[in-house]
Amino acid sequence: MNILFLGDIMGRSGRDALFEHLSTLRGNLKLEFVVVNAENATSGTGLSIDHARTILELGVDCIT
């Protein structure tokens, strides 16, 4: 099983990088499960419901 764990998605730049690269990584690495640490995904101060939904819609399987 191929698992990708991404440490701290930080603010807009982290979310943008995830949006830009996750689908390519999933395909190239044949990923079956993706975990991201997103405690700072909303302006570096937590995780909003909207950002959590967006991250999950991008194909992330688990948010820590």
Side-chain angles (χ1 to χ4, degrees), residues 14-55:
R15 293 189 319 270
D16 288 348
L18 190 64
F19 177 80
E20 185 175 338
H21 299 289
L22 183 58
S23 64
T24 302
L25 287 171
R26 261 198 183 276
N28 290 346
L29 300 175
K30 297 180 175 74
L31 298 174
E32 299 170 63
F33 199 78
V34 177
V35 180
V36 299
N37 180 315
E39 67 186 24
N40 292 306
T42 301
S43 302
T45 59
L47 177 62
S48 72
I49 295 292
D50 289 337
H51 289 152
R53 284 187 186 123
T54 299
I55 289 169

